[in-house]
Amino acid sequence: MKIYKFGGASVKDAESVRNIVNIINNIDDNLVIVVSAMGKTTNALENILSLYLNENNFILELENLKKYHNKISKELFPENHEIFSIINDIFNNLQLKLSQNKESNYDKLYDSVVSFGEILSTKIVSFYLTLSQTKNSWIDIRNIFKTNNCFREGIIDFNLTQKNILKQLKFNNCRTYVTQGFIASTINNETTTLGREGSDYSASLLGYFLNAESVTIWKDVAGVLNADPRMTENTIKIDEMSYKEAIELAYFGAQVIHPKTIKPLENKQIPLYVKSFIEYKKAGTTIKKIEKNLDLTPIYIIKKNQVLISISPRDFSFIVEENLSTIFGVLAEFNIKVNLFQHSAISISFSIDNNIIKTKKLINKLQQNYIVKYNNNLELLSIRHFSEKIIKEMISNKKIYIEQKSRNTARFVLG
Ligand code: ASP
């Protein structure tokens, strides 16, 4: 059995949906297709929710999103196809949900709203496959993937989910399922999500639970590249890398794979292929168990919009374990991830993604006990497999706030 994951870009228009049929055409195996919301639908739904919460008119944006899904469907289906009434119903439900909303927990409301994107995309893909003679079953993954109550960052209950999978997914010869990435539900069937861009993780979990032969993530790039092609020309595709390398890259901020994707696959030694949905016959990148150190080309990862926060005790005393534990406690309380950390005798500094609301709360709280200084608008550059020559090229003309080097990785917070 294979798991194929199609992200937003690979289902962003009618042509891309047609392309899925070409990609799965030659498979004579059981297949689970995991689909994200189409194009930028999740962002659009976030926007609709924020308009609604700020008591602005969200109907226009909702109509635009509906038009977008209808336009794609008009290019794919005959005029009287049932998909049109399904899309209509989904949008009516969404509008009704918002107009009758009594939910005050923002994260819970968020999950129940953004999940509509994946329901829409999977309905369209599933019906289109049927229309193209590919028999398939549409599955609402929320009946299978069970998480705790941590809305927007649901933690999977592995035991329950495994049981659900065994009960609900039956495979024989060449069965195809179409299901959603990113979404799940609590034991009380309240919708949760696994974190933004979480569909890769959904695919990896399905691979894990189903003991799949492989998981493939279909992307708009040729595979894992040594730099972000939106920022750098002349990127190089990496043919093979170990799980360890991949997890490091994802952690440093390489956007090609969601950081949580690798662990379930590594645990069961399931290979992950990252391939281009445009040049789908070409080999992409294979991520698997590799013992020897590969001679990898330098890989650059840039995380923008960083805030560097420096904290020191008010009385010039040393930073000791106790302070560290309080400071990390505050970070955990606000669910803030530290991207880079450094300490000296009387201060610690760390770089985090700038989320205006969270950062402000964090600074206010820390200022109660410490002197807090911060710099905005920085970038965090990580270079795996660096050389001094490369570092020089990358950081010349930039102000260095922090510099860290280990055997394989050089990292810089830059102005
Ligand atoms: N649609 C979700 C998002 O945009 C999940 C995903 O695409 O992986 O974050």
Side-chain angles (χ1 to χ4, degrees):
M1 168 194 322
K2 295 190 170 81
I3 315 288
Y4 277 7
K5 182 252 163 173
F6 292 93
S10 53
V11 287
K12 70 175 194 299
D13 51 26
E15 194 191 334
S16 349
V17 177
R18 281 192 206 103
N19 192 35
I20 296 183
V21 179
N22 301 332
I23 293 176
I24 67 172
N25 231 347
N26 295 324
I27 292 193
D28 48 2
D29 199 350
N30 288 313
L31 178 66
V32 182
I33 300 178
V34 178
V35 188
S36 303
M38 297 180 134
K40 302 270 179 238
T41 296
T42 309
N43 291 351
L45 288 164
E46 279 184 348
N47 186 27
I48 288 168
L49 181 61
S50 105
L51 288 171
Y52 159 77
L53 289 171
N54 292 313
E55 290 174 25
N56 288 322
N57 191 354
F58 62 88
I59 303 292
L60 185 67
E61 289 304 314
L62 198 73
E63 284 298 325
N64 284 341
L65 193 61
K66 185 174 171 185
K67 272 189 205 148
Y68 168 65
H69 286 86
N70 273 328
K71 181 176 177 286
I72 295 176
S73 303
K74 275 185 194 146
E75 291 177 41
L76 296 172
F77 298 94
E79 218 172 287
N80 51 0
H81 194 277
E82 65 185 296
I83 191 68
F84 295 103
S85 65
I86 292 172
I87 294 175
N88 205 32
D89 288 350
I90 295 175
F91 277 96
N92 284 346
N93 284 342
L94 177 54
Q95 192 170 339
L96 199 69
K97 177 175 205 57
L98 289 174
S99 57
Q100 296 182 343
N101 172 53
K102 295 207 172 57
E103 182 54 65
S104 56
N105 177 340
Y106 172 74
D107 291 347
K108 193 167 167 184
L109 181 63
Y110 174 97
D111 283 352
S112 70
V113 168
V114 298
S115 56
F116 277 82
E118 270 69 14
I119 299 296
L120 281 160
S121 63
T122 48
K123 283 283 181 194
I124 294 172
V125 168
S126 168
F127 275 106
Y128 183 69
L129 292 183
T130 308
L131 191 71
S132 324
Q133 318 298 333
T134 304
K135 248 179 89 188
N136 69 94
S137 314
W138 181 88
I139 290 281
D140 187 336
I141 202 72
R142 291 173 295 186
N143 297 327
I144 295 179
F145 277 7
K146 292 292 161 186
T147 66
N148 63 358
N149 285 349
C150 190
F151 295 95
R152 298 186 71 180
E153 284 287 343
I155 308 283
I156 290 282
D157 180 328
F158 273 68
N159 287 333
L160 202 55
T161 302
Q162 178 77 74
K163 277 190 200 136
N164 288 341
I165 292 234
L166 291 177
K167 254 193 269 160
Q168 297 182 48
L169 297 187
K170 303 278 177 224
F171 291 92
N172 41 34
N173 266 344
C174 302
R175 177 124 203 207
T176 300
Y177 284 107
V178 174
T179 196
Q180 308 77 34
F182 180 51
I183 67 175
S185 83
T186 64
I187 198 155
N188 299 322
N189 299 323
E190 297 155 320
T191 301
T192 52
T193 58
L194 306 176
R196 282 300 308 262
E197 313 289 334
S199 298
D200 290 354
Y201 181 46
S202 304
S204 142
L205 287 169
L206 279 163
Y208 175 92
F209 289 120
L210 292 166
N211 294 314
E213 176 197 319
S214 64
V215 173
T216 306
I217 298 181
W218 297 95
K219 304 279 305 181
D220 53 358
V221 285
V224 178
L225 307 177
N226 75 326
D228 185 336
R230 289 167 301 188
M231 295 186 201
T232 320
E233 283 172 36
N234 305 326
T235 51
I236 301 166
K237 176 176 75 78
I238 296 154
D239 295 333
E240 259 192 348
M241 63 167 68
S242 64
Y243 293 117
K244 184 167 176 293
E245 185 69 36
I247 212 160
E248 295 279 7
L249 294 186
Y251 172 78
F252 289 144
Q255 284 178 350
V256 65
I257 319 164
H258 188 278
K260 285 185 183 165
T261 312
I262 304 298
K263 182 178 181 292
L265 300 178
E266 191 279 340
N267 289 174
K268 289 210 175 159
Q269 302 289 314
I270 298 168
L272 173 65
Y273 302 117
V274 181
K275 295 177 76 160
S276 157
F277 61 76
I278 302 157
E279 297 184 293
Y280 56 89
K281 290 195 176 139
K282 284 199 178 161
T285 300
T286 304
I287 298 165
K288 58 180 187 184
K289 182 172 179 177
I290 298 174
E291 302 282 12
K292 58 182 191 298
N293 277 339
L294 293 178
D295 196 9
L296 284 177
T297 179
I299 304 173
Y300 312 94
I301 302 142
I302 298 172
K303 252 178 174 290
K304 295 210 177 246
N305 201 15
Q306 297 292 296
V307 197
L308 182 65
I309 300 187
S310 300
I311 304 170
S312 43
R314 292 190 188 281
D315 59 359
F316 211 70
S317 61
F318 287 123
I319 282 269
V320 291
E321 283 65 18
E322 222 175 278
N323 309 108
L324 291 178
S325 135
T326 327
I327 292 164
F328 275 93
V330 177
L331 287 162
E333 183 189 328
F334 292 124
N335 197 9
I336 294 177
K337 295 190 179 83
V338 169
N339 297 325
L340 175 140
F341 173 81
Q342 182 148 301
H343 73 107
S344 73
I346 54 160
S347 79
I348 67 159
S349 304
F350 53 82
S351 178
I352 57 173
D353 294 344
N354 193 6
N355 170 322
I356 298 172
I357 299 169
K358 277 192 186 177
T359 307
K360 201 165 162 212
K361 276 194 196 157
L362 174 75
I363 292 173
N364 286 345
K365 178 110 188 205
L366 292 171
Q367 270 172 340
Q368 292 170 4
N369 298 313
Y370 298 95
I371 300 169
V372 181
K373 292 185 185 153
Y374 60 94
N375 293 86
N376 284 324
N377 278 330
L378 305 180
E379 60 182 40
L380 173 60
L381 166 69
S382 306
I383 312 175
R384 294 277 291 163
H385 318 290
F386 62 93
S387 68
E388 291 307 324
K389 184 170 164 271
I390 280 163
I391 290 179
K392 239 197 209 146
E393 281 165 20
M394 293 294 291
I395 64 172
S396 60
N397 308 326
K398 294 204 171 149
K399 180 168 174 191
I400 303 174
Y401 286 77
I402 290 191
E403 174 171 354
Q404 281 183 357
K405 276 185 205 159
S406 62
R407 230 171 346 136
N408 286 321
T409 313
R411 308 188 79 199
F412 304 87
V413 178
L414 300 169

